[in-house]
């Protein structure tokens, strides 16, 4: 599990590097969109897995993390960082035990990725592009 988290952190660092290289003027928007995608993945897993109760839980999570993404996108990066930090708990606490609809190892991979994004956004404080 630790190796999977480290792998997620490496992927997260690569993602940050790619965004900063190819779209630095859209950095905050991409991280906000990424948080929504991270939450939507679990909803997709529950829907494909045919678990309507978990699909509802995941839909609530999508709205919850969507709010953090929206506020972060409005130029408050620390709120976006908090959203990524809270997603660590969503991955670890809620999905840390094996669940039939979540691919094995996915939550641990996400924990590493989420920690890198939360830390980067909190420390670097990327700004939204001017005029947006």
């Amino acid at each position: 599990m630790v190796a999977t988290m480290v792998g997620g952190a490496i992927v997260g660092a690569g993602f940050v590097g790619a965004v900063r290289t190819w779209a630095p003027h859209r950095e905050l928007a991409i991280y906000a969109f990424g948080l929504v995608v991270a939450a939507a993945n679990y909803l997709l897993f529950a829907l494909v897995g045919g678990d309507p109760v978990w699909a509802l839980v995941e839909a609530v999570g999508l709205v919850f993390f969507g709010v953090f993404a929206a506020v972060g996108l409005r130029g408050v990066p620390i709120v976006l960082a908090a959203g990524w930090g809270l997603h660590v708990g969503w991955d670890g606490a809620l999905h840390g035990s094996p669940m039939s609809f979540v691919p094995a190892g996915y939550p641990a991979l996400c924990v590493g990725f989420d920690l890198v994004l939360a830390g980067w956004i909190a420390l670097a404080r990327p700004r939204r592009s001017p005029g947006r």
Side-chain angles (χ1 to χ4, degrees), residues 35-48:
L35 180 58
V36 172
V37 169
N41 284 340
Y42 284 112
L43 175 57
L44 181 62
F45 294 151
L47 290 170
V48 169

Side-chain angles (χ1 to χ4, degrees), residues 29-123:
I30 292 169
Y31 299 149
F33 179 72
L35 180 58
V36 172
V37 169
N41 284 340
Y42 284 112
L43 175 57
L44 181 62
F45 294 151
L47 290 170
V48 169
D51 193 324
V53 173
W54 273 105
L56 180 61
V57 171
E58 303 301 349
V60 169
L62 178 57
V63 171
F64 178 77
F65 291 110
V67 169
F68 280 87
V71 173
L73 189 55
R74 290 280 188 213
V76 189
I78 198 68
V79 173
L80 182 57
W84 278 103
L86 288 169
H87 202 262
V88 170
W90 192 263
D91 295 321
L94 194 60
H95 298 292
S97 301
M99 302 179 114
S100 62
F101 66 90
V102 178
Y106 185 82
L109 185 77
C110 286
V111 165
F113 185 92
D114 295 355
L115 285 171
V116 168
L117 268 286
W120 173 255
I121 296 165
L123 295 173

